[in-house]
Amino acid sequence: NWTMSNFVDQEISRIRKLVGEKGQVIGAVSGGVDSTVAAKLMKEAIGDRFHAVLVDNGVMRLNECQQVQQMLQEHLNINLTIVDGSKRFLDGLKGITEPEKKRKFIGNLFIDLFEEEAIRIEKAAENTPNAGKVEFFLQGTLYPDVIESISFKGPSATIKTHHNVGGLPARMMNGQGLKLIEPLRELFKDEVRELGRQLGIPEDLVMRHPFPGPGIAIRIIGEVTPERVEIARKADHIFISMIKEAGIYNEMSQAYAGVDTNKAVGVMGDNRVYGYIIILRAVTTTDFMTAEAYEFDFALLRKIATRIVNEVDGVSRVTYDITSKPPGTIELE
Ligand code: XMP
């Protein structure tokens, strides 16, 4: 009979068997509930032979990397290494406008940086009691990620390449390079949250909205430039802070501010300005396969729009996306 604590015990012993006495594991940690739960399980299973790494891909949210590092240290006693890849990511994203190319590029470089870090960890562990090969790569992939990416519908019907599933380089799928460990591969989001609570993960982290691997790159329609990343970050920060202050964060499943491709004209004081268009999106869903736009209080939405236009340089308009999924998706790309 399946229970959450059986699951924890079984997973821990499965991980121990798989990794062996000497093996080391490198884990992708983003600060979301999935990767945090996966990291906590791994830490319980193999202790310091687990290395938690956050790759800064240049498209994380405002101050996010440092906050995640601090939170993991404080609450879970997990020492998170931040690998700064922001320049390599942003340089490589230059000129890419097609959504699938963006995802592939980010997914590939992400894995390259993990492989480089794995080599560094092996070298640093030489001649210590922890010496051993870094053979495994931990990801917090959930069941819905698996079905939406490499689904029963076959490759031609693949909706999007999730970078933590189908978007991985071929070498990881054919046994060369790092081998994947995905302890949450059979769980749904609500099960992972319950598991997180049992593992002592703080409630605000357990209830955190999901954040995609390709970050705000798939919330910026068209080319990702440092300027547009900056604008998306600031607008998103205002949006999410106001949602939290209003006490409605947990009423929605996911929310963010994205940036449209084109600019629009507006007036600021006596001047005409030509600025970016912010797209706010907030949805409710249970399984992330279908979703509804969150029914915002209009007065609050208006206040949010005013603050974004006033406080974020380069923005002339704010829109609210009311599309359901389907036909829309939760992310913009
Ligand atoms: P969509 O946009 O497909 O999103 O309706 C459904 C859920 O999946 C997340 N998502 C991703 N997560 N890598 C991820 O790790 C990805 O490439 C990716 N694309 C979408 C999205 O945030 C939402 O929760």
Side-chain angles (χ1 to χ4, degrees):
N1 66 330
W2 196 94
T3 65
M4 208 54 94
S5 56
N6 283 347
F7 175 84
V8 171
D9 293 345
Q10 278 166 19
E11 251 339 278
I12 286 179
S13 61
R14 195 183 71 89
I15 291 165
R16 285 186 182 146
K17 226 176 263 158
L18 193 65
V19 175
E21 294 282 302
K22 283 275 167 197
Q24 307 207 62
V25 176
I26 186 169
V29 175
S30 66
V33 60
D34 308 343
S35 64
T36 306
V37 167
K40 183 72 183 162
L41 268 179
M42 199 53 80
K43 173 97 182 176
E44 304 258 302
I46 61 167
D48 288 344
R49 287 184 291 132
F50 168 61
H51 306 272
V53 173
L54 185 155
V55 163
D56 180 356
N57 57 14
V59 281
M60 300 289 282
R61 286 166 294 193
L62 198 66
N63 305 325
E64 187 161 32
C65 300
Q66 282 65 33
Q67 280 168 7
V68 171
Q69 189 178 43
Q70 203 180 341
M71 187 274 304
L72 256 80
Q73 185 65 261
E74 233 166 72
H75 296 284
L76 303 174
N77 201 22
I78 292 176
N79 197 348
L80 181 70
T81 302
I82 297 177
V83 172
D84 183 6
S86 51
K87 190 174 176 332
R88 277 166 78 180
F89 279 95
L90 290 174
D91 285 351
L93 281 168
K94 242 177 239 165
I96 302 180
T97 53
E98 204 188 294
E100 281 297 291
K101 282 197 182 138
K102 246 186 218 181
R103 280 164 192 276
K104 285 249 158 66
F105 168 77
I106 295 174
N108 283 330
L109 183 53
F110 182 78
I111 298 303
D112 287 349
L113 292 189
F114 271 96
E115 288 182 340
E116 290 170 19
E117 185 61 17
I119 291 169
R120 209 194 55 72
I121 292 167
E122 273 175 20
K123 287 217 172 99
E126 272 171 20
N127 308 318
T128 75
N130 257 347
K133 218 175 144 21
V134 178
E135 212 178 331
F136 295 96
F137 177 59
L138 171 78
Q139 282 209 308
T141 317
L142 304 191
Y143 189 62
D145 307 335
V146 177
I147 42 184
E148 230 186 66
S149 200
I150 32 176
S151 67
F152 41 86
K153 300 182 208 101
S156 61
T158 297
I159 303 165
K160 278 177 190 176
T161 318
H162 272 219
H163 99 225
N164 57 14
V165 191
L168 292 177
R171 64 179 183 277
M172 288 195 74
M173 295 307 184
N174 61 21
Q176 289 165 307
L178 294 165
K179 297 184 190 114
L180 279 180
I181 300 191
E182 297 176 313
L184 314 179
R185 209 182 155 84
E186 281 161 21
L187 303 186
F188 284 94
K189 198 83 184 180
D190 50 340
E191 295 173 317
V192 173
R193 292 203 159 117
E194 200 39 52
L195 188 55
R197 290 190 185 101
Q198 283 200 22
L199 291 168
I201 294 172
E203 188 63 19
D204 58 338
L205 202 159
V206 164
M207 290 312 290
R208 219 166 164 212
H209 295 166
F211 184 65
I216 55 184
I218 56 174
R219 297 173 173 182
I220 292 174
I221 305 179
E223 191 183 5
V224 176
T225 63
E227 185 197 21
R228 280 147 64 80
V229 170
E230 196 61 26
I231 285 172
R233 271 189 184 142
K234 287 182 180 158
D236 186 77
H237 185 72
I238 293 170
F239 186 40
I240 300 299
S241 307
M242 290 183 79
I243 287 171
K244 286 187 175 161
E245 280 161 25
I248 54 176
Y249 183 85
N250 287 350
E251 288 178 16
M252 40 192 98
S253 314
Q254 206 164 351
Y256 65 86
V259 181
D260 202 349
T261 333
N262 294 315
K263 291 186 171 185
V265 171
V267 281
M268 294 275 249
D270 294 332
N271 296 321
R272 279 168 72 84
V273 295
Y274 192 47
Y276 287 107
I277 306 163
I278 294 294
I279 301 168
L280 303 179
R281 182 117 171 100
V283 298
T284 55
T285 172
T286 46
D287 59 6
F288 295 89
M289 308 285 279
T290 62
E292 294 295 329
Y294 175 77
E295 266 188 53
F296 245 100
D297 169 56
F298 196 71
L300 176 60
L301 206 49
R302 200 156 27 193
K303 267 189 219 150
I304 291 168
T306 305
R307 264 197 66 191
I308 291 175
V309 175
N310 286 344
E311 294 175 31
V312 187
D313 277 350
V315 171
S316 67
R317 309 249 173 160
V318 176
T319 65
Y320 183 57
D321 183 347
I322 56 168
T323 322
S324 303
K325 172 185 180 176
T329 55
I330 294 171
E331 305 295 343
L332 293 175
E333 289 197 333

